[in-house]
Amino acid sequence: LMMSPAETFRWLYGKVKREWKLAFGTCVILGLLIHMPVLVSDIPNHDGLDSMYFDQNMITSGRWFLTIACGFSSYFTLPWLIGLLGLAFLGCTAAALCELLEVRKDWAVVLCSGLLVSFPALSSTFAYVFTLDGYMLALLLAVLAVLFTKKYKFGFVPGAMCLAFSMGTYQAYLAVTMILSVFAVLMLFADTNAGEAGEKKGAALKVQFMAALRYFYMGVLGAVLYYVILQVLLKVQGKELAGYQGINGMVSGASTGGGILSVVGNMYRDFLGFTFGGNVLFQNIFSVLACMVLVLAVMLAVFVLMVERKWWKNPVCFVIIGVVFISFPMITNIILVISPNVTYHLLMRYQWVLYLIGGVALVSNLKVTGKRYLLQWAACLSASVLIFCYGVTDNIAYSNLQKKYEKTYAYCVRLLDRIEQTEGYYQGIPIAMIGVVGEEQYPVTDLTLEVTSNMIGMGGDYLLYTGNNYSAFMKHYLGATLNILPAEAMAEIYYSEAYIGMDTFPGENSIRIMDGVMYVKTENSGR
C-alpha cells in the first residue's frame, strides 16, 4: 500500500525496538557531551596534518573499502560532520550490541552504550578524526557480522560479507567479531541444563553445536572474501601491500623469529601488560575499585547460573569455560597473528571494552529473585563510575591536544620568522631539517603524561616529528609554503660536520645557508 512520508516514517519508527532507540540516543547524547571539544575544533594530530584532504585509498595497507567508507563525508577533514556520522554509526553499533547480547533492561542498555562511547580508545580514534567515520562503520559491520550469524540460519553468509568489508576498512576490528562470536557461543551453551538426561539433552547439545559452527563458517568465509577482494583490487590498481605495520606479512606469512610459540607468548604478555599496566582500563582508585566490583559481580553471576543450570553435573561445562578463558587473550590480540611486528596503538584496542560491556550484560540478564538485585546494583554503579572516569580521561587528552596545537603554532611562528629573515632566503629555497623539537631548548611542559602515556597522538608538547609535519602545519595554519627536503635527502646532511656543529633553534647559528641549501636545526645539539 502507498503511504505518505509521515506514515512511512511512523511505521518505520514503530518497527524499531525500544532498547535500540535508547542505545542509539545514549550513544549520540553522551558522545556529544564527552567528545564535543574535538568535534567543534580544528585540532589535528601529527597524522592529521597530512590529511586535510585525503582520498583514503589505503589499498596498500589492506584497507580496500576505506576510501568508500570515508567518502560519505567527503575527503576533507570536517570534524563536526565526520564526528556526527561517526556517532551515528556508533549508535547503531550500540543497538546491535544490545540485541546481540540480549540486553533488555533500560539501565543496562544505557550503561553498555555509555561504556562504548566513553572508552578511551574512542578518544584516540577521534584524534584521527579524518578517518573516524570509516572506522566507526567498520566497527558496526564487525558487530553486524555476529548478529546476522546469530539471528538467521544462513546468517553466516551476510555475516561473512560484513566481516570482509569491516576488515577491508580496518583490520583491527576482527578481534571485535571474534570476541562477540565467543560471547554468542557461550550464550548458546549457557542455556544447557546439565540436569537433563537422555535423548532430550543430546538433541539440544547437537542443535547448539551446529549453531555454534555457523560462527566458524562466518569467520572463514569472511576472511577468504576479504583476501580475494584485496588481491583482485591490488592487481587492478597495480600495487602491492606495503611494509607499514607489517601488513605485507598477511601474504608472505612473515612472522617473528621465534615462530608461533613466540607469537602466542607475545599475545599473552601484551594482553596482561595492557590490561593491568596500560593505564587505560583504570587510572585512579575510583576506576580500580569499579573494575574490581564489576568483576566480582560477574563472578557471582556466573556462580548463580552454574547452580541454576546445574553445570556442576557436567564436567564438560567447566572444560568449555576453561578453554574460553585461556583463549580470550589470543582472540583479543589476533592482530599480532596477522601482523606480529605491529606497533599497537590505543585505537587498535577498542575490543577491550567488550569485556566490560559483556559483564554488564551478563549481570543484567539474571532473573531478579531474593538478593540478586544487589549484583545488578553493583554492576550499575561500577559501570557508571567507569563511564565518568573514562569521560574525564577523554577530556584530559583533548585538553592536551589543544595545548599541543597552541604550542606548535607559537613555535612555528617564531621559526618561520627566523627562516624568512635569514639573509639569502627566497621562496622555494631547499630546506634541510629533521623535524624534532629540541627538549633542551624547549623542556617538556605536558602535565598529562600520566594519563595520556598510552594514548597515541595525545601526549607530549608538539605536533611535529618530521620535516613533513613542519611543511604541512605552516602551509595549512600559517599560509607559508616551504620546500623542505624529503627524509632520504637528509641522511647525508644529518651526519655532516657542518650540521653537527650548528646550534639548535633558537640558537644564533641554528639556521644557515650552505651550497644553496638552508640548514635548519631544531633538535638537541648533543648526539
Side-chain angles (χ1 to χ4, degrees):
L1 296 176
M2 298 296 292
M3 293 187 293
S4 68
E7 291 172 329
T8 301
F9 291 135
R10 193 179 303 114
W11 177 79
L12 289 173
Y13 186 78
K15 292 294 182 180
V16 180
K17 293 182 179 180
R18 170 184 168 79
E19 53 265 29
W20 298 356
K21 300 171 187 174
L22 187 57
F24 184 90
T26 300
C27 250
V28 172
I29 293 173
L30 265 183
L32 289 174
L33 290 175
I34 294 173
H35 304 290
M36 185 69 78
V38 77
L39 293 180
V40 297
S41 304
D42 184 5
I43 31 180
N45 69 358
H46 53 284
D47 277 357
L49 291 173
D50 291 320
S51 303
M52 297 298 176
Y53 178 87
F54 182 30
D55 64 8
Q56 299 290 349
N57 185 353
M58 298 286 287
I59 181 70
T60 56
S61 293
R63 304 172 196 170
W64 44 261
F65 192 64
L66 185 61
T67 185
I68 297 174
C70 291
F72 300 110
S73 59
S74 82
Y75 297 127
F76 291 93
T77 298
L78 308 173
W80 179 248
L81 174 60
I82 294 173
L84 288 180
L85 278 174
L87 289 177
F89 290 140
L90 194 64
C92 293
T93 301
L97 270 175
C98 289
E99 182 66 19
L100 174 64
L101 299 177
E102 300 177 8
V103 181
R104 301 289 180 252
K105 295 182 174 65
D106 288 354
W107 67 267
V109 171
V110 170
L111 293 177
C112 287
S113 304
L115 287 168
L116 186 69
V117 79
S118 64
F119 195 62
L122 180 61
S123 66
S124 191
T125 309
F126 264 102
Y128 295 81
V129 69
F130 57 90
T131 193
L132 172 84
D133 50 346
Y135 282 12
M136 293 300 97
L137 178 57
L139 181 66
L140 172 60
L141 291 171
V143 176
L144 289 177
V146 186
L147 182 60
F148 288 150
T149 304
K150 177 181 178 178
K151 286 292 185 180
Y152 308 106
K153 183 176 181 180
F154 295 101
F156 64 87
V157 176
M161 295 179 64
C162 287
L163 177 59
F165 280 84
S166 175
M167 292 180 66
T169 306
Y170 195 44
Q171 300 93 328
Y173 296 144
L174 170 62
V176 170
T177 299
M178 295 184 71
I179 292 172
L180 291 177
S181 294
V182 173
F183 283 178
V185 171
L186 286 175
M187 292 172 69
L188 264 176
F189 287 99
D191 290 334
T192 301
N193 191 332
E196 295 178 349
E199 294 182 4
K200 183 179 180 181
K201 178 180 177 182
L205 285 173
K206 182 178 179 180
V207 170
Q208 290 169 330
F209 181 74
M210 295 305 295
L213 278 178
R214 296 206 301 261
Y215 298 97
F216 176 75
Y217 301 152
M218 177 267 291
V220 173
L221 185 59
V224 170
L225 183 60
Y226 162 76
Y227 182 81
V228 170
I229 295 176
L230 173 62
Q231 293 303 310
V232 170
L233 292 178
L234 284 171
K235 293 290 185 184
V236 169
Q237 297 188 28
K239 296 180 179 179
E240 296 181 353
L241 288 176
Y244 173 71
Q245 293 284 43
I247 199 66
N248 55 352
M250 289 194 307
V251 177
S252 64
S255 183
T256 55
I260 188 64
L261 290 179
S262 176
V263 172
V264 171
N266 287 336
M267 295 166 83
Y268 276 91
R269 282 190 292 272
D270 181 87
F271 180 84
L272 295 173
F274 178 77
T275 300
F276 297 104
N279 201 34
V280 172
L281 284 170
F282 27 80
Q283 295 182 330
N284 52 45
I285 187 62
F286 304 109
S287 54
V288 170
L289 290 175
C291 281
M292 291 174 63
V293 170
L294 181 57
V295 169
L296 180 61
V298 170
M299 292 173 64
L300 291 174
V302 171
F303 178 77
V304 169
L305 287 174
M306 188 183 304
V307 174
E308 275 188 350
R309 308 306 298 178
K310 300 179 181 179
W311 292 349
W312 47 271
K313 288 189 174 183
N314 188 355
V316 174
C317 293
F318 296 99
V319 173
I320 292 174
I321 292 174
V323 170
V324 168
F325 185 77
I326 292 172
S327 68
F328 270 136
M330 290 188 287
I331 61 176
T332 305
N333 274 340
I334 192 64
I335 194 69
L336 293 178
V337 174
I338 297 175
S339 182
N341 299 316
V342 68
T343 300
Y344 225 150
H345 300 161
L346 180 58
L347 67 166
M348 301 164 70
R349 297 183 183 272
Y350 207 166
Q351 59 270 27
W352 262 262
V353 76
L354 295 178
Y355 295 110
L356 302 174
I357 292 174
V360 173
L362 174 64
V363 176
S364 72
N365 286 334
L366 284 178
K367 294 179 181 177
V368 181
T369 58
K371 294 184 178 181
R372 293 184 188 177
Y373 68 89
L374 293 177
L375 293 181
Q376 296 194 347
W377 268 113
C380 179
L381 293 176
S382 58
S384 299
V385 170
L386 286 175
I387 291 169
F388 179 79
C389 289
Y390 292 156
V392 172
T393 295
D394 297 339
N395 277 269
I396 290 172
Y398 294 146
S399 175
N400 192 63
L401 188 61
Q402 175 71 41
K403 291 177 176 62
K404 287 178 67 172
Y405 166 77
E406 300 289 354
K407 294 172 190 176
T408 302
Y409 188 94
Y411 177 84
C412 284
V413 166
R414 297 195 297 271
L415 179 61
L416 178 62
D417 181 66
R418 284 281 298 276
I419 288 174
E420 292 179 335
Q421 297 303 318
T422 299
E423 186 177 352
Y425 168 81
Y426 61 89
Q427 176 63 39
I429 187 174
I431 299 177
M433 63 190 306
I434 295 297
V436 180
V437 179
E439 293 182 1
E440 291 180 3
Q441 288 69 31
Y442 297 94
V444 175
T445 58
D446 179 10
L447 301 175
T448 71
L449 286 174
E450 289 188 3
V451 177
T452 60
S453 58
N454 269 340
M455 304 178 73
I456 182 171
M458 297 291 202
D461 285 315
Y462 299 97
L463 303 173
L464 308 169
Y465 298 98
T466 68
N468 285 339
N469 292 154
Y470 281 89
S471 178
F473 190 91
M474 292 187 181
K475 176 181 178 181
H476 297 303
Y477 294 97
L478 299 183
T481 301
L482 301 181
N483 180 21
I484 297 178
L485 296 175
E488 53 269 21
M490 281 298 300
E492 183 177 347
I493 294 174
Y494 184 72
Y495 293 102
S496 66
E497 292 185 5
Y499 185 83
I500 293 174
M502 292 172 60
D503 297 332
T504 303
F505 184 80
E508 182 180 355
N509 190 34
S510 58
I511 300 177
R512 298 172 58 187
I513 296 178
M514 294 178 286
D515 300 325
V517 177
M518 173 175 280
Y519 288 23
V520 179
K521 188 173 181 179
T522 58
E523 50 160 1
N524 292 335
S525 299
R527 284 197 261 129

